[in-house]
Amino acid sequence: MKVWILDDSHFPTGFANGALKDAPQEVCRQSIFCKFLSYEGDAREVTFRTEKLAKPPKYKLSFIRKMMMSGSTKDARKYDDDQVYSITAYGPKGEEIDLSGSTTWKKPAGTWQVAVCGLSRNLGPHRAYINMMNEVSCHKLIEAVYEPHFAHYGDLFGNTIAGFFSDEPELGNGILYAKHNVLGTEQDLPWSKELEERLQKTLGVDYRKNLPLLWKNDGDPLLTAQVRRTYMDAVSNLVKKDFSEQIGGWCREKGVMYIGHSIEDDDTHACTGSGLGHYFRGLYGQDMAGIDDIGGQVMPQGEEEPTTGMFGPRNGAFYHYTLGKLGVSAAYLQESKQGRTMCEIFGNYGWKTGVTDMKYLADHFLVRGVNNFVPHAFSPKAYPDPDCPPHFYAHGHNPQYRHFGHLCAYMNRVASLISGGKIVQKVAVLYNAEGEWSGQCMRLDQVARPLYDAQIDFSFLPLDHLDQADKFIYVIVPYAKYQPIETAGLSNVIYVDALPDAYTMGEDAMQKEAENKAKKADDLAGDAKVLALGDLVAYLEKEDIKDAVIAPENPYIHIMHYQTDCHMYMLINESAQTYRGKVSLPMKKKGYVYDAWDNSIADIDQQMTDIGCQVSFVLEPRKSLIMVFDEEADTPSLEEKTVGKRLSDCMYEKKEKQEQPTEIKTWKRSICSALDHPKFADAKDVSLPDHLEEEKPKFCGFVRYETKITSDGGDKILEITDAAEGLEVFVDGQSLGLQIVPEYLYDLSGYLKAGEHEIVIEVATTLWRENASGMRAKMMGESKPTSKSGLCGKVYLWNK
């Protein structure tokens, strides 16, 4: 057994097991805030009451945020080093006066705006947490958590103890879990002495007068963009150095790994607050890239914004087109991560989420290249624990526990296949944190979505890994009013929609400011190509970028080409309808289909072409198709059983030929709870489709359907069109296995000799219906169950 240790006494990581409660103030979390004051009228002398101006602001909060913030700051430590940091006056004719350190000001006539920046440790939701931009402060986490574990269990490090897990570390300024907290909005921002030293070096000795531009939106546009980029560059690079690399380095010295994830929600990954300012830098010291999918973020056909949660609208496009690719991109661009991406998955989706939807979620991330998973969660508390269900075992109450085990086995098999090699990609999309920091900017998902829906796979490429741009045929730069100057030197760049108005410089380029300031964006861009977003896919298709071409086109079919000692194509269907079509691939050898659920090999319907091959296939919703082309052998080197033609292909052909199956209509139904299984009771005769949820609206457990059939001895296929939701089929008492996604197909070949046989189908429900009351159910939208129970479709017997 391998053990991973959560690296704090609770989430988010940074509490350091309470080590900051009594630590010296200078190592505690600190914020900078800005107040804007207006002075009108004639010339006069103004006195600044610094003790009043140094008081941190109070933000307007919604009821739910006020409740959460008060819970986080209750009994919070009070700090006594609040101070005014800078004062800048802006005049009616564009005047700018640095009044930092002054207590009086001879105000000229007219209307003047005065920006007061102050420093405080009495802001943010988590005030007794480490400062992510302070090396000494971050080491407090090592002292309080990491080193005590090593002192007690050092002999287990690197064998039983695999490593440590950071859960949602944050910069921690602003409002708890704020969305769209970009620069220029009402919030305090993170601060530290190290940050001050960096800003003084890059912005000059008079840097204080420009700090209000982090909030002020009517100043000089280019200067504002440059100050904001410089500030965020410094913040995120300090997080990388002081937090991520320091902890990761300690772990590797002790022979263990360091993994985890930050909060990525709705582009928080490039913001402060609950984020770390920059996705790639925040996780740079970790041995795997990490992401988190919880609480209805990725949902079947949820690319749009169908729901609004506690914290505002949900950006479905971010979760479907940005989240997974962020993690996988970091895993392959940073060599030390060795292609490893970890996803915390299934957490807080609610009791309404069962194994059928979990299969969708698993495939969603697998096809994007995620190859390590942390299922959330098993709970030691008594059932029903209201904290973040579903809970997989639930102390024996969950009917789908065995089905969940089979899902995990499937995920393990696929994850093993997509490890140790590389994803084949020809396109990169610039990770546009710098553009977002600087001003108006296109979201990543706006570019990622048309590419991915057209089966053009890609990586997000941050500036820190721009030296790998030549791995890709094109680097696509989402539109930003101010682009980072580093993109101007790329030869394979495509700017989306327009060139920038100007370029900004990072910390390393600030010394070239005088040289570049006078240059126009057009001059720096050189011969860079500019394409409208709507023309991007068509252009790339003409350039022969696509590795796999499907017909008919369908934006819900997603494909990954993975290469190890063979070539593997994984296809999934994220729509609600079965897809039937063909895919053209640049593979010139005979391939085969690997069914990772049944761990079996099937024949491939393959036609060779001049440039490769064309494969005909059927793919049902929530199902995957894995095609393998082995360059070293003409036959599969795996040892799995060979089943011949895929059952889904057989069924499609039969339905096209309008063959008629035998419908099995009458069944005896009985039920039991998960704890009582297999002691079924309450037997009655039913016909299908069954409507058990109407008869017993609060029932959760197992539903057993029994019938007898007379067989002519021929090979048969059993088709179950729908069930809610995990099921197991028995023929004469012998299990034919568990399945969790409709249509459920079972090959009965060899099981039905001539004569009478008993067929039993056991269906496992979710636990939604018995957990549909209380505040938690209401908040999660689970107070009115809509789930079905049992066999809600029909059952057919086909001649094979």
Side-chain angles (χ1 to χ4, degrees):
M1 183 176 73
K2 298 290 185 181
V3 175
W4 294 89
I5 299 171
L6 182 66
D7 70 349
D8 219 330
S9 50
H10 57 73
F11 93 100
T13 288
F15 182 61
N17 200 28
L20 275 294
K21 286 184 176 181
D22 300 312
Q25 289 189 149
E26 58 267 23
V27 301
C28 296
R29 194 164 279 185
Q30 191 174 32
S31 289
I32 186 169
F33 60 85
C34 192
K35 296 178 179 179
F36 290 97
L37 310 174
S38 182
Y39 294 90
E40 303 176 350
D42 298 333
R44 61 188 173 91
E45 185 171 279
V46 174
T47 299
F48 298 120
R49 297 175 57 187
T50 54
E51 72 281 358
K52 182 178 180 180
L53 295 177
K55 289 184 177 180
K58 293 184 178 180
Y59 301 117
K60 295 179 181 179
L61 302 174
S62 64
F63 170 77
I64 186 68
R65 290 193 185 279
K66 189 177 295 184
M67 182 176 67
M68 294 186 69
M69 285 285 284
S70 63
S72 298
T73 59
K74 184 181 179 182
D75 302 324
R77 177 179 174 182
K78 300 295 189 295
Y79 299 90
D80 60 9
D81 61 343
D82 290 354
Q83 59 181 288
V84 172
Y85 190 69
S86 70
I87 302 176
T88 308
Y90 301 97
K93 297 180 180 179
E95 301 95 329
E96 181 180 301
I97 304 174
D98 186 0
L99 301 173
S100 301
S102 303
T103 57
T104 61
W105 169 46
K106 292 183 178 180
K107 172 198 166 297
T111 300
W112 285 71
Q113 183 187 59
V114 173
V116 180
C117 289
L119 301 182
S120 178
R121 302 183 197 276
N122 297 300
L123 283 166
H126 299 128
R127 297 169 192 176
Y129 275 57
I130 61 174
N131 189 330
M132 297 289 178
M133 302 178 298
N134 182 308
E135 184 176 1
V136 175
S137 183
C138 291
H139 198 270
K140 294 291 183 182
L141 178 62
I142 294 176
E143 296 169 14
V145 177
Y146 287 75
E147 289 178 346
H149 277 88
F150 184 71
H152 283 79
Y153 306 111
D155 59 329
L156 300 179
F157 273 43
N159 41 77
T160 301
I161 295 178
F164 289 84
F165 186 105
S166 277
D167 194 18
E168 302 181 1
E170 52 166 31
L171 281 159
N173 59 287
I175 300 169
L176 189 65
Y177 301 134
K179 292 185 178 182
H180 311 297
N181 57 321
V182 295
L183 298 180
T185 56
E186 184 185 47
Q187 61 177 321
D188 56 278
L189 294 168
W191 192 259
S192 75
K193 186 67 176 176
E194 288 185 52
L195 177 63
E196 176 185 289
E197 293 168 355
R198 287 208 177 201
L199 293 179
Q200 185 172 357
K201 181 178 179 181
T202 53
L203 293 178
V205 293
D206 58 348
Y207 70 96
R208 294 191 188 208
K209 72 175 184 180
N210 288 323
L211 290 178
L213 296 179
L214 298 174
W215 293 269
K216 185 177 172 62
N217 294 315
D218 58 357
D220 176 81
L222 182 54
L223 178 60
T224 299
Q226 182 59 65
V227 169
R228 291 180 179 182
R229 180 186 171 184
T230 302
Y231 169 81
M232 287 300 296
D233 251 346
V235 167
S236 54
N237 277 319
L238 283 171
V239 170
K240 173 185 172 183
K241 177 182 77 72
D242 292 341
F243 174 69
S244 187
E245 288 189 307
Q246 183 177 192
I247 293 178
W250 185 95
C251 287
R252 285 181 284 278
E253 286 178 4
K254 300 298 187 292
V256 293
M257 297 175 68
Y258 175 46
I259 65 172
H261 73 92
S262 59
I263 289 183
E264 311 89 8
D265 304 9
D266 289 349
D267 296 320
T268 298
H269 57 86
C271 297
T272 62
S274 57
L276 290 174
H278 188 290
Y279 176 79
F280 293 84
R281 292 173 184 167
L283 302 183
Y284 194 84
Q286 296 188 353
D287 294 288
M288 299 183 188
I291 55 173
D292 185 24
D293 175 53
I294 64 163
Q297 292 176 337
V298 173
M299 300 194 310
Q301 296 82 57
E303 290 83 352
E304 308 303 332
E305 298 183 9
T307 61
T308 297
M310 292 185 292
F311 303 118
R314 164 189 172 272
N315 178 11
F318 165 80
Y319 296 114
H320 282 251
Y321 296 97
T322 303
L323 179 59
K325 299 305 294 184
L326 275 177
V328 174
S329 300
Y332 286 93
L333 291 169
Q334 188 181 346
E335 186 176 348
S336 61
K337 288 182 167 56
Q338 299 179 29
R340 297 175 298 215
T341 307
M342 180 279 304
C343 178
E344 187 176 343
I345 195 169
F346 307 142
N348 205 33
Y349 265 79
W351 290 116
K352 62 186 175 185
T353 300
V355 287
T356 301
D357 281 343
M358 289 181 188
K359 175 64 161 54
Y360 173 96
L361 297 175
D363 281 339
H364 173 95
F365 288 102
L366 285 165
V367 81
R368 285 157 174 82
V370 177
N371 49 16
N372 290 269
F373 292 90
V374 177
H376 184 295
F378 290 86
S379 174
K381 294 182 179 179
Y383 172 80
D385 177 7
D387 183 20
C388 298
H391 303 130
F392 309 128
Y393 181 60
H395 295 279
H397 290 267
N398 193 343
Q400 297 185 354
Y401 182 50
R402 287 189 305 121
H403 306 78
F404 174 73
H406 278 64
L407 174 60
C408 288
Y410 163 83
M411 294 166 68
N412 269 334
R413 285 191 280 268
V414 180
S416 296
L417 287 177
I418 58 173
S419 296
K422 65 178 182 178
I423 301 175
V424 178
Q425 297 169 328
K426 300 178 182 179
V427 170
V429 175
L430 182 73
Y431 178 66
N432 63 347
E434 291 79 8
E436 181 175 290
W437 299 338
S438 303
Q440 181 184 348
C441 181
M442 182 177 284
R443 297 192 317 271
L444 287 174
D445 61 75
Q446 291 177 273
V447 176
R449 182 170 189 168
L451 293 176
Y452 208 60
D453 283 353
Q455 292 82 44
I456 300 175
D457 203 354
F458 61 88
S459 280
F460 289 122
L461 181 68
L463 291 184
D464 296 357
H465 292 293
L466 216 54
D467 59 343
Q468 299 184 49
D470 57 1
K471 290 182 178 180
F472 305 95
I473 296 177
Y474 286 110
V475 176
I476 299 168
V477 180
Y479 171 76
K481 187 176 179 67
Y482 302 101
Q483 292 283 10
I485 198 170
E486 292 87 342
T487 64
L490 295 176
S491 60
N492 59 341
V493 67
I494 297 176
Y495 286 95
V496 178
D497 280 354
L499 291 174
D501 288 1
Y503 290 94
T504 61
M505 292 164 284
E507 287 188 295
D508 295 337
M510 288 301 291
Q511 65 270 21
K512 299 180 180 179
E513 181 174 5
E515 175 188 341
N516 292 318
K517 191 172 183 181
K519 292 186 178 181
K520 297 180 181 180
D522 290 354
D523 295 332
L524 289 170
D527 297 327
K529 186 174 292 294
V530 179
L531 289 174
L533 179 60
D535 297 333
L536 183 60
V537 167
Y539 176 82
L540 293 174
E541 288 178 335
K542 288 181 181 178
E543 292 289 293
D544 198 26
I545 291 296
K546 295 181 71 168
D547 187 61
V549 179
I550 64 168
E553 295 180 353
N554 188 308
Y556 290 102
I557 302 299
H558 296 305
I559 305 174
M560 178 180 62
H561 178 187
Y562 197 85
Q563 183 177 0
T564 51
D565 55 352
C566 62
H567 291 268
M568 187 194 81
Y569 287 85
M570 181 178 186
L571 290 75
I572 67 166
N573 181 357
E574 294 194 347
S575 77
Q577 289 79 40
T578 296
Y579 177 86
R580 170 70 178 182
K582 297 181 179 181
V583 58
S584 296
L585 305 171
M587 296 289 114
K588 295 186 176 182
K589 299 202 75 173
K590 178 67 176 175
Y592 56 92
V593 173
Y594 172 63
D595 186 327
W597 183 267
D598 289 333
N599 198 31
S600 62
I601 290 172
D603 294 332
I604 192 170
D605 187 355
Q606 178 182 4
Q607 299 293 322
M608 305 310 295
T609 66
D610 292 340
I611 59 173
C613 67
Q614 190 176 72
V615 178
S616 300
F617 68 98
V618 176
L619 193 54
E620 300 95 330
R622 289 176 170 82
K623 292 193 177 182
S624 64
L625 175 65
I626 297 174
M627 294 182 288
V628 182
F629 300 87
D630 195 332
E631 295 295 330
E632 302 298 328
D634 292 323
T635 57
S637 57
L638 306 176
E639 296 179 358
E640 292 77 4
K641 58 184 180 181
T642 302
V643 298
K645 186 178 291 187
R646 296 172 64 229
L647 287 184
S648 55
D649 291 332
C650 291
M651 292 300 302
Y652 184 86
E653 292 174 2
K654 291 178 178 298
K655 291 176 180 179
E656 269 201 329
K657 295 176 182 178
Q658 297 184 339
E659 294 184 19
Q660 297 301 310
T662 300
E663 181 179 355
I664 308 176
K665 297 181 178 181
T666 59
W667 300 77
K668 183 176 72 173
R669 184 196 71 198
S670 54
I671 60 176
C672 70
S673 70
L675 289 177
D676 291 335
H677 186 266
K679 298 177 181 178
F680 289 92
D682 199 17
K684 65 177 295 186
D685 292 332
V686 297
S687 58
L688 301 182
D690 191 14
H691 299 284
L692 176 61
E693 70 280 357
E694 296 177 6
E695 292 181 44
K696 297 182 179 294
K698 293 186 177 181
F699 171 76
C700 298
F702 286 94
V703 192
R704 179 182 175 95
Y705 297 85
E706 304 171 61
T707 194
K708 292 186 182 295
I709 63 168
T710 300
S711 171
D712 59 8
D715 291 340
K716 308 291 181 182
I717 299 174
L718 185 71
E719 177 192 20
I720 304 165
T721 61
D722 201 7
E725 50 186 32
L727 57 77
E728 185 172 13
V729 170
F730 301 84
V731 175
D732 297 330
Q734 183 174 350
S735 174
L736 274 61
L738 284 78
Q739 294 189 25
I740 60 175
V741 177
E743 294 180 335
Y744 307 88
L745 300 176
Y746 284 87
D747 188 348
L748 304 189
S749 300
Y751 291 96
L752 299 181
K753 297 180 180 180
E756 188 176 70
H757 299 274
E758 179 188 54
I759 295 181
V760 173
I761 302 173
E762 288 187 9
V763 185
T765 75
T766 67
L767 286 169
W768 184 5
R769 291 187 165 271
E770 67 181 36
N771 287 281
S773 60
M775 179 59 71
R776 193 218 154 270
K778 186 175 182 180
M779 291 175 65
M780 292 293 294
E782 294 187 301
S783 57
K784 296 180 180 179
T786 57
S787 62
K788 295 181 179 181
S789 298
L791 286 181
C792 46
K794 294 188 176 183
V795 179
Y796 298 102
L797 203 59
W798 295 77
N799 289 320
K800 189 174 179 182

